[in-house]
Structures are given as C-alpha cells and as structure tokens.
Amino acid sequence: MGRCGRSSTASCRSTTSPTPTPRCRREVCSASSCCACDERAGQREPGDCCGSAASAGRSRSDLVSLQFVKLGGSLITDKTGEQSLERATLDRLAAEVAAAQTASPTALVVGHGSGSFGHVAAARTALRAAGAASPDRPIDRPSATEVSEVQAAAHRLHAEVLKALRAAGVAAMSLPPSSWLTLQDGKVANAGCGAVAQALELGLVPVVCGDVVLDSVRGAVICSTEEVFSVLVRGGGLAGRFTRALWMGRTDGLLVAGKRLDRIDETNVESALAEAGGALGVDVTGGMRHRVETLWSLAGEVGESWILDGGRPGVLEAALGGRRLGGTCVGRAEPALGRPQAGPPPPFMSS
Amino acid sequence: MGRCGRSSTASCRSTTSPTPTPRCRREVCSASSCCACDERAGQREPGDCCGSAASAGRSRSDLVSLQFVKLGGSLITDKTGEQSLERATLDRLAAEVAAAQTASPTALVVGHGSGSFGHVAAARTALRAAGAASPDRPIDRPSATEVSEVQAAAHRLHAEVLKALRAAGVAAMSLPPSSWLTLQDGKVANAGCGAVAQALELGLVPVVCGDVVLDSVRGAVICSTEEVFSVLVRGGGLAGRFTRALWMGRTDGLLVAGKRLDRIDETNVESALAEAGGALGVDVTGGMRHRVETLWSLAGEVGESWILDGGRPGVLEAALGGRRLGGTCVGRAEPALGRPQAGPPPPFMSS
C-alpha cells in the first residue's frame, strides 16, 4: 500500500500490473504521490502525479498509456517576427523528449504550433480558423495559391521540428493533418487517424501540427494543434487512450493577475476562461483561451492536461516522466470512479 | 468531322462539348490527330494525341479530365549517388508544368520517385517494397528508427520538389502517402484519397511521392509512385477519372535493343515486359519492368500512359498539352467502344 492509503480515483494511473488499463481501478492507491490526494513527496510541487512509476517497463507500442506533447508556436518560434525559428529552444525540447523516452519509453504523439511560420502567412490570406463561426453570408474561399503558400510555411517549421527530434534520437514520423483530415464547414468530414495509431504501434513518435486543412464548404481552413488533438482524442483507434497532454508554452501555466493558477476544474473554469487571453504576436486560431476551452471540453476524455513553461529547462522531461513542475493542471477535481463524464464537445467538433 | 473520319474509340478524348465525359463516346472522331488512327499532323511524331484541344477552356477543378505526371527519381536525382539532387532538371520540369498549366489549365496530380534519397536509405534497412511477395517465414519488421530515417530521406526530396513547383508558380500541395495510406501485408487497408480529390477541386496540384507506408503486418513498406498511382486510380473520388498519365524518366520510352518501342498493347505486352529491365542505381521497388506492369494492369482504367524522356526539354510541357514527343504509349490498341475492359489488377493491389 502506498503513502496516502486512500481509495484510488479515475485520475490515478499508477499500476505495476502487466496489463495496465487506461484508468486504474484498484481500490487502494499505491502511488508515492497522487494528484487525487495532493500528498507531496520530497521536493515535488503541488499536483505531482504518479505516471512515472506507471510508465516504467512499458513498451513504446503500449497504446493503453498515451501521452501528447504540444510544442507551442510561441515557444519554438519568435511570433513577433516572420518565419523566425527559436532553434536553441527547439533543440533543447527535442533533447528532453529523447531523454524522457530513453529513461521511460511511453507511447507519445508530438504536436506543434505554427508560430511565426503558418500564422503570419495565413493572416495575409482568406484562410480562417476551422473553429471560427460559419458566417451567414457567402465566404471568400482562399485561392489555391494561398493554400499552397500557407501550407509551405507551416511545413517549413514542421520539417525543422522533425529534424530536431530525429537529431536528438527520437524516431519521429511526419503525419501532417493536411494529408489525413478533411472538413465540411469547419466540422470533421473524414479523419484518417489510422496512420497515427499504426505509427505508435511500431514504436514511432507521430508528429502532427497546426496545418491547412481542406474543407468542402470553405475551401480550406487553419486547424490549430488543439483541434487536431481533439480529432485524435476522439478518432478511430486512439479514442479514450490519452492519459496526459502536455502543453508547452512560454508561461508557467495560466497566469491570473500575474499569479499562476495551479488547477482549473469545475470550481473555477468559468473565471479561468474569462481571464485567459489571446496569443502573443500573430495567431489566427486563438491563443490561451482557445487552448483552455479545448482542454476543458476534453477533460472527460483525457486523463489530465498540463499547461507548462517550456522555456524552463527540465519541465518537459519531468512531465513526460510524470512529474509536474509548476504550470496549470486542467482536469476535473473529483472525477467519478471509473470513466469521468464527458465534457461538452469542443467548439471545433460540435455541429 | 475531323481528318480521319473513323469511329472514335474509348481512347479518344477529343471533344468540344461543354461537359466532356471521361471517355469520348461520340461516334465520329473529330480530332486532327488521333492515337487510335495514328494519323499525323504537321511535325508531330507517331502517336500524337488529341488532348490539347480538349483541355482548352477547362477550369482546374474540372475533375473529369485529370492528368498524372511522375517525375522519375532517376531524372530528378543522381541515382548512382546518395541524396544527390539534379536541381537544374527539377527546376526545368517544374517550369514546364507551370507553363503548361498557364497555357491550358487542367486538373493535375504530380508524383515523384524517391531516387537517391529514399531508395538508398531504404536499401540499408529491413524495409521492403509493398509489392514484394509476402514471405512464408516471419519477416523482419523494420525498426522505428529505420522507418523514421527512410521517411526523412524521402521527404527531403519531396520538399525539394514542392519548392521547385511553387517557385515556378504551381499551386502545389504536399500530400505524402505515408499520412493517408495504410496497408495490411502489402495490400491497401485504408486509402484516404479525400484530400487529393478536394485539393483538385480547389484548383491545387496535389503532390504525392514514393514513400514509407505503414503496414499492420509488415510494420512498414516502401510504396512506389506507381503503387500510389494505382491507389489513386481506384480510390474514392478519383476512380476512373485519370485520362492520361505521363511517366517522365531518363530514356525515350521503353528501349528494346536500343530502339524505342512506340506502343505497348495487347500485341506486344508480353515481349515488352520480358525486355523491360530494372532501374539504374539503387531502387528497392523495381524500375522499368515494375512501371510497365503497373501501367498495363491499369490500361482499362487510365486513358493512356506515356513513358517519356524527361531529360529532353519541352517533352513534358508538350505532353501536358496533349502533344506526345517520342516515348512509348501504353494502352490498348483496339479498346471496346465505351469503357474498356479492366486489365488484371496490379500486383500491389491483388489479394
């Protein structure tokens, strides 16, 4: 029996059983530190979780425990410039992913924003966010040249992310959503998540990104990484399998009046959304508010989402090992035993 | 009435009707020069076809007439080296595509081989061609790192092709098959051709390539551009719509004892296949024989396939306008009126 001795909850993923389930249903939590009981161990910060022990000994193709990392566009690019890569930061984050995978291999999908590559290019065109409300009047469809140019800009950054991950020793596989996702008036028409699931099965780290996605009504739209993650969370083969999503940005979680919010749950989600602002620099998809909205809407389907400071060395590596250093945790405070109730669908997915 | 006055055949696509059908069914051919009757006009070479007039005035999103161009790996790279780009050739071919699209816009998909990028990388790994017979004994599945590295090499060339096309003014869209195609023991498991069809609808030029494709039995395999084309020809939304496929290589068609074969049809396909050799340099998918086999197997579903000399300036631009300069035409000599009988399925697609 572990320290806390309390009954485990659905948010606890600590288990040493050979066939772990997405949600630990053992009656007694054996973790040395658990989100649900908030007990601290050593120098850990509030909210440290128990995934580290859980991931030890897992094969990479163990899809039962699946993590998602977003490398924010504001983190890996200078969003106040144009096509300006923060190479040192990107290389460090790639090295942290590699170190975490070496120490404790887990099934992992990496996503990244488009930063000063795709967003700046898109802002000059008729391309709009997938989640934008469909206007009443006929819309200006983007031209073929606009779609081509914005995809080129977004994929230039995608290639840099892949290069950095591979150079660090991560078996990354490029799976840009423009190739496997199509929409109809901003809603998912067809999502071919099969390649993502099969890549994980083979031990690869699929890399997705905010991208231009074709839309049978609007021509094409910009899909944010958050929207792509929503599709993966609910898509074939991966639905319900994400146990943790790590959103690496330039701030230490959601800051309210300069102070970090440790947790967003039922008790404070409304005020948190009211406080969450837009993005630094040019961003056609919406910044922090869009992120919090999406993560909250997925709270019933993803174990936990952590909004973390990717600018602070070591935070990503620790988080991938299950140790949270600062940041804001988005999740339900008292999830029901077993599978939590699903939240409302994210704006992007709703009809 | 045109020169020849013969009854038109299914291979004739000359029509000035406002709503052309994939196969011209008019009783009398009105083309000034027609493959079926081999009549020459001016300085044209044998086999000149009648697509040029047909394509005039079409919008790019006219999916009824759809062309495919493969830029051969042997043409745009030096296959005796490693990751050695033939940049001048690639830029010239991209300019020819752009010029043809400006003169007479048609719906077009561009594919390219992997040349000394993907093939050389793949030859060092356990990755094998999708079309390779499934061995009786358990196979060595490629490692995640091998898949990642071979995809990286193939996509490095893909990025160069996209860059060249965009620089020439072509609204190219990257749609690599590794993202939208999955296999099961070398056979198609899921083909998400939707993005390719939607890109065409928007006037984009989708760019596909020979690529690493995930396979639920073999882990991952190499899909040649020919195999990807087979999937597109028979895939959702595009089935039966390809009127012409242009295979640009380094030879003036299929050479038999140093002499060009003008046409491959029922009368000589067996001997042509016996004469068709492998590829120059490293090629894990099979070279000319693989190409002729695939094109012949698709002869009932693609208007015509031309194997042309991409090293000769002007050949691609002329072909996109419907004028064939040399090369070998693969197609049925006397197709039935209306839709020709389908050939046997290509090795890749058969079960």
Side-chain angles (χ1 to χ4, degrees):
Chain A
M1 189 189 297
R3 295 177 181 218
C4 68
R6 293 188 197 173
S7 292
S8 73
T9 71
S11 70
C12 175
R13 283 170 301 287
S14 172
T15 172
T16 53
S17 73
T19 53
T21 55
R23 308 285 171 170
C24 166
R25 286 182 178 73
R26 293 195 298 169
E27 288 189 359
V28 178
C29 174
S30 63
S32 59
S33 174
C34 175
C35 288
C37 55
D38 249 347
E39 184 168 338
R40 280 80 164 160
Q43 295 305 306
R44 290 180 185 173
E45 297 199 22
D48 277 359
C49 202
C50 42
S52 188
S55 60
R58 281 183 190 162
S59 76
R60 289 193 189 190
S61 63
D62 171 12
L63 286 188
V64 172
S65 170
L66 175 57
Q67 298 197 71
F68 179 83
V69 169
K70 179 191 175 183
L71 306 177
S74 63
L75 183 64
I76 58 174
T77 75
D78 173 3
K79 284 183 81 170
T80 61
E82 179 164 359
Q83 302 209 11
S84 171
L85 182 68
E86 295 278 5
R87 190 177 301 278
T89 304
L90 174 58
D91 288 347
R92 175 180 55 76
L93 291 164
E96 291 193 36
V97 171
Q101 287 291 87
T102 302
S104 176
T106 57
L108 174 68
V109 176
V110 172
H112 63 86
S114 211
S116 60
F117 288 69
H119 285 290
V120 172
R124 285 194 290 258
T125 70
L127 279 158
R128 295 292 169 261
S134 192
D136 295 332
R137 63 179 178 75
I139 53 169
D140 290 336
R141 285 160 66 101
S143 72
T145 303
E146 287 177 336
V147 173
S148 177
E149 285 175 0
V150 175
Q151 192 203 37
H155 285 201
R156 217 165 284 140
L157 179 59
H158 186 58
E160 293 286 356
V161 172
L162 285 156
K163 193 172 152 191
L165 286 167
R166 285 167 173 149
V170 177
M173 182 169 195
S174 165
L175 291 168
S178 46
S179 291
W180 55 262
L181 179 63
T182 55
L183 305 181
Q184 184 176 18
D185 203 12
K187 310 295 179 295
V188 175
N190 189 60
C193 304
V196 177
Q198 257 178 261
L200 287 166
E201 190 60 40
L202 201 61
L204 285 148
V205 174
V207 182
V208 301
C209 56
D211 206 351
V212 183
V213 171
L214 295 160
D215 184 302
S216 57
V217 174
R218 303 186 200 174
V221 294
I222 303 293
C223 258
S224 67
T225 318
E226 285 78 356
E227 288 161 340
V228 172
F229 179 60
S230 299
V231 175
L232 290 179
V233 166
R234 294 173 172 174
L238 297 174
R241 292 191 165 174
F242 284 96
T243 50
R244 191 184 297 128
L246 309 172
W247 302 84
M248 312 308 295
R250 287 184 63 188
T251 60
D252 184 18
L254 177 61
L255 305 182
V256 175
K259 194 168 173 297
R260 182 184 76 210
L261 215 57
D262 274 343
R263 186 167 186 103
I264 297 174
D265 57 29
E266 292 91 334
T267 64
N268 64 349
V269 63
E270 292 301 329
S271 61
L273 280 169
E275 294 289 343
L280 284 173
V282 179
D283 191 315
V284 296
T285 51
M288 183 64 89
R289 187 182 166 87
H290 171 60
R291 178 168 309 156
V292 174
E293 275 178 344
T294 306
L295 302 192
W296 181 249
S297 71
L298 294 172
E301 290 157 275
V302 178
E304 273 183 346
S305 294
W306 298 353
I307 302 172
L308 299 169
D309 183 3
R312 185 178 155 199
V315 170
L316 174 56
E317 184 179 347
L320 284 167
R323 290 188 306 113
R324 176 179 150 208
L325 299 176
T328 299
C329 177
V330 182
R332 296 182 180 278
E334 296 175 15
L337 198 62
R339 189 170 185 76
Q341 296 295 307
F348 168 65
M349 306 283 286
S350 61
S351 57
Chain B
M1 191 189 297
R3 296 178 179 217
C4 67
R6 293 188 195 173
S7 292
S8 72
T9 70
S11 70
C12 175
R13 283 169 302 288
S14 172
T15 172
T16 53
S17 73
T19 53
T21 55
R23 308 286 172 168
C24 167
R25 286 182 177 74
R26 292 194 300 168
E27 287 189 358
V28 178
C29 175
S30 64
S32 59
S33 174
C34 176
C35 287
C37 55
D38 250 347
E39 184 167 339
R40 281 81 164 160
Q43 295 306 305
R44 290 180 185 173
E45 297 200 21
D48 278 0
C49 202
C50 41
S52 188
S55 62
R58 281 183 191 162
S59 76
R60 288 192 189 190
S61 64
D62 171 12
L63 286 187
V64 173
S65 169
L66 175 57
Q67 298 197 70
F68 179 83
V69 170
K70 179 191 175 183
L71 306 177
S74 63
L75 183 64
I76 58 173
T77 76
D78 173 2
K79 284 183 81 169
T80 61
E82 179 163 0
Q83 301 209 12
S84 172
L85 182 68
E86 295 278 5
R87 191 177 300 279
T89 304
L90 174 58
D91 288 346
R92 175 180 55 75
L93 291 164
E96 291 193 35
V97 171
Q101 287 291 87
T102 302
S104 176
T106 57
L108 174 68
V109 176
V110 172
H112 63 85
S114 211
S116 60
F117 287 69
H119 285 290
V120 172
R124 286 194 290 257
T125 70
L127 279 159
R128 295 291 169 262
S134 192
D136 295 332
R137 62 179 178 76
I139 53 169
D140 290 335
R141 285 160 66 101
S143 71
T145 302
E146 287 177 336
V147 173
S148 177
E149 285 175 359
V150 174
Q151 192 204 37
H155 285 202
R156 217 164 284 141
L157 179 59
H158 186 57
E160 293 286 356
V161 172
L162 285 157
K163 194 172 151 190
L165 286 166
R166 285 167 173 149
V170 177
M173 182 170 195
S174 165
L175 291 167
S178 46
S179 291
W180 55 262
L181 179 63
T182 55
L183 305 181
Q184 183 176 18
D185 203 12
K187 311 295 180 293
V188 176
N190 189 60
C193 304
V196 178
Q198 258 178 261
L200 287 165
E201 190 60 40
L202 200 61
L204 285 148
V205 174
V207 182
V208 300
C209 57
D211 206 350
V212 183
V213 171
L214 295 161
D215 184 302
S216 57
V217 174
R218 303 185 199 174
V221 295
I222 304 293
C223 257
S224 68
T225 318
E226 284 78 355
E227 288 160 340
V228 172
F229 179 60
S230 299
V231 175
L232 290 179
V233 166
R234 294 174 172 172
L238 297 174
R241 292 190 165 174
F242 284 95
T243 50
R244 192 183 297 127
L246 309 171
W247 302 84
M248 313 308 295
R250 287 184 63 187
T251 60
D252 184 18
L254 177 61
L255 305 181
V256 175
K259 194 168 174 295
R260 183 184 75 210
L261 215 57
D262 275 342
R263 185 167 186 102
I264 298 173
D265 56 29
E266 292 90 334
T267 64
N268 64 349
V269 63
E270 291 301 329
S271 61
L273 279 170
E275 294 289 343
L280 284 174
V282 180
D283 191 316
V284 295
T285 52
M288 183 64 89
R289 186 183 167 88
H290 171 60
R291 178 168 309 155
V292 174
E293 275 178 344
T294 305
L295 303 192
W296 181 249
S297 71
L298 294 172
E301 289 156 276
V302 178
E304 273 183 346
S305 295
W306 298 352
I307 302 171
L308 299 169
D309 184 3
R312 185 177 155 200
V315 170
L316 174 57
E317 185 179 347
L320 284 166
R323 290 188 305 113
R324 176 179 151 208
L325 299 176
T328 300
C329 177
V330 182
R332 296 182 180 278
E334 295 175 15
L337 199 62
R339 189 171 185 75
Q341 296 296 308
F348 167 65
M349 306 282 286
S350 60
S351 57

